[in-house]
Amino acid sequence: MSSSQGSAAPPVPLWRVAAASCAGTTIEFYDFFIYGTAAALVFPKVFFPALGATAGTVASFATFAVAFFARPVGAIVFGHFGDRIGRKRTLISTLLLMGIATVLIGLLPEAGSIGVTAPILLVVLRFAQGFAVGGEWAGATLLTAEYAPRHKRGLYGVFPQLGPAIAFALSSGTFLATGLIMGDTDEAFLSYGWRIPFLFSIVLVLVGLYVRMSIEETPAFRAAQAVAKAEASSLDQRKRLPFLEVLRAQPREVLLSAGALAMLFAFFYMGTAYLTSYGTNPKGAALSRPVVLGIGIGAAVLFGIAIVLAGMLSDRFGRRNVIRASCVAGIIWALVLFPLLDTGSAVAFAIGLSVTLVIFAIAYGPAGSYLPELFAARHRYTGAGLGYNLAGVLGGAIPPLVAPSLAASFGSIAIGVMLSLIGVLSLVCVSALAETRNRALEHERPRETVS
């Protein structure tokens, strides 16, 4: 047995660690995505009826964007505890917070009942969702990255990355099933049907808690804690702030990783949130809600397959090269997407959504191993979380928020130009970062090489 294992060997099989990380991100992102689906299909009428269709959609996506600004805050707070007390306990906290916030959204009275208080409470709960997700992703990726053998880290790193694909299919599926059961009666769906996916979240949270409770702390964290305790007094340890450490030691990696993943977020949230709205909008593709949701489920399957393949390829060709390939494809595809969608056919919408999510997946697959490899274990949770969630602000919050106005003023092609420019930013940033696929983590032997 190698020294990278020994006493630090995980007491549970690696497949169980991978399953725990995947289950957790699936649940967290299910909660996150049902909000995006509801923001496109329901919230303009339920919480912003006085604003009209266009302004109501803008206001609804503004509440959707609130979570992205909460995510860096969550990354700092949960990253602090994840780097101080451990990945496992912190991830249990993020799961509970997300679940509680989501269920409360499902119980929230509409604007017609409590007036302006309804959208205010919606914003508060949406902030809580973003705060929780801000701490979730880094911890989930660290679970697999810090357990996995180095030559297969890209492969095992895809398991937490599969969470969003499964969650998108689940969120689209629950809304589709609810709508089909209720028939074509929009009144029933807008009154209480949309709440069912939110309330169903409690079942998923209980499953996720059970799985995560069975996982031990990662070997890299244990090794880093042992070194830190040997090098510093307990008083110094209590004063250590991972947020300040990562800004002092690796600010370049935080900022460049944020820029590198900006296109990833822009493509994903435009695909999962804005395109859902665009597809059902009479001024957009004008497709029925069941058609759009059904296409979303099919696209999620392709999206998941692409994540796995991209992670595997990153073990062979490097994380950076695979992400750069995604950026180049995204720069070109963004200029083609909306002219294709404007044809108004269901086939065009299916192709547009599927290709958009596959391009995102090509970058997202390697990201689960790339960001953890960029940062030192002492502040890895905080650093990876900050980079990832700052990218969420750049690519996930701003594009869906400004897209309706851009389309109204300059036509849908303006949205494509915006996405293409974000792709250029990501290509430049990822090219400035180092390749990490051969990098040893703290609990591994530096002389190990990838075969």
Side-chain angles (χ1 to χ4, degrees):
M1 184 176 292
S2 71
S3 62
S4 65
Q5 292 172 318
S7 62
V12 292
L14 188 54
W15 66 263
R16 190 179 297 177
V17 176
S21 65
C22 182
T25 53
T26 297
I27 294 162
E28 298 253 5
F29 281 93
Y30 167 83
D31 291 353
F32 205 71
F33 296 154
I34 57 174
Y35 190 102
T37 304
L41 302 178
V42 177
F43 289 170
K45 297 177 182 178
V46 173
F47 293 108
F48 306 99
L51 298 180
T54 301
T57 299
V58 172
S60 181
F61 279 114
T63 67
F64 182 76
V66 164
F68 290 97
F69 294 99
R71 286 171 73 149
V73 182
I76 294 170
V77 174
F78 288 114
H80 174 85
F81 292 106
D83 285 325
R84 289 287 303 277
I85 67 173
R87 319 323 191 187
K88 173 183 173 178
R89 284 186 283 177
T90 303
L91 284 171
I92 290 172
S93 300
T94 63
L95 189 62
L96 283 172
L97 177 59
M98 173 61 87
I100 292 170
T102 303
V103 170
L104 289 177
I105 290 174
L107 297 173
L108 191 62
E110 59 189 51
S113 301
I114 60 174
V116 72
T117 304
I120 291 174
L121 290 175
L122 183 66
V123 169
V124 171
L125 293 172
R126 180 60 176 166
F127 186 92
Q129 280 191 319
F131 187 72
V133 170
E136 165 65 25
W137 182 85
T141 57
L142 264 55
L143 273 184
T144 51
E146 293 183 342
Y147 266 115
R150 191 193 330 169
H151 63 288
K152 292 184 178 180
R153 195 175 292 138
L155 171 61
Y156 281 102
V158 306
F159 282 93
Q161 305 301 79
L162 282 172
I166 300 170
F168 185 47
L170 280 175
S171 65
S172 297
T174 51
F175 274 103
L176 177 61
T178 301
L180 291 176
I181 290 171
M182 294 182 172
D184 296 327
T185 307
D186 278 346
E187 183 178 347
F189 184 77
L190 292 175
S191 175
Y192 64 89
W194 67 270
R195 301 178 186 274
I196 295 173
F198 287 84
L199 299 178
F200 178 69
S201 174
I202 191 64
V203 177
L204 299 179
V205 169
L206 292 175
V207 173
L209 285 174
Y210 172 77
V211 174
R212 284 196 168 167
M213 292 292 288
S214 69
I215 301 301
E216 296 298 325
E217 194 50 78
T218 70
F221 176 77
R222 293 196 300 264
Q225 286 292 92
V227 171
K229 288 179 181 178
E231 292 179 347
S233 69
S234 60
L235 179 60
D236 289 336
Q237 286 299 301
R238 286 195 297 269
K239 291 181 177 179
R240 186 170 70 85
L241 296 176
F243 172 63
L244 297 180
E245 279 191 5
V246 74
L247 292 183
R248 181 170 56 250
Q250 295 187 277
R252 182 176 180 275
E253 284 78 4
V254 170
L255 294 176
L256 287 177
S257 62
L261 299 187
M263 190 202 81
L264 174 158
F265 274 98
F267 269 59
F268 186 57
Y269 286 104
M270 288 298 292
T272 57
Y274 180 75
L275 289 188
T276 300
S277 175
Y278 188 85
T280 57
N281 194 319
K283 296 181 180 179
L287 302 173
S288 68
R289 184 170 62 221
V291 168
V292 170
L293 292 173
I295 289 172
I297 295 171
V301 174
L302 296 176
F303 162 34
I305 294 171
I307 286 175
V308 175
L309 293 176
M312 295 172 65
L313 288 172
S314 77
D315 280 330
R316 182 177 178 87
F317 299 107
R319 326 294 187 213
R320 188 174 62 170
N321 287 335
V322 175
I323 294 173
R324 281 195 289 202
S326 171
C327 292
V328 172
I331 292 168
I332 299 169
W333 176 249
L335 301 177
V336 177
L337 175 60
F338 283 92
L340 176 66
L341 294 177
D342 285 342
T343 63
S345 75
V347 172
F349 183 82
I351 294 171
L353 179 60
S354 298
V355 174
T356 299
L357 292 183
V358 166
I359 290 174
F360 155 80
I362 294 171
Y364 197 60
S369 51
Y370 193 37
L371 263 67
E373 290 170 341
L374 283 171
F375 296 95
R378 284 170 59 88
H379 48 249
R380 182 172 292 138
Y381 201 127
T382 302
L386 264 180
Y388 182 81
N389 289 296
L390 287 174
V393 175
L394 290 173
I398 298 173
L401 187 58
V402 304
S405 299
L406 281 176
S409 301
F410 305 105
S412 61
I413 188 64
I415 304 175
V417 172
M418 173 187 66
L419 293 175
S420 187
L421 291 175
I422 295 173
V424 172
L425 169 67
S426 291
L427 180 61
V428 170
C429 289
V430 74
S431 297
L433 284 167
E435 178 54 59
T436 62
R437 75 183 177 103
N438 291 326
R439 185 169 293 178
L441 300 185
E442 288 75 5
H443 65 294
E444 297 173 320
R445 292 181 299 168
R447 290 193 302 275
E448 287 181 351
T449 57
V450 178
S451 59

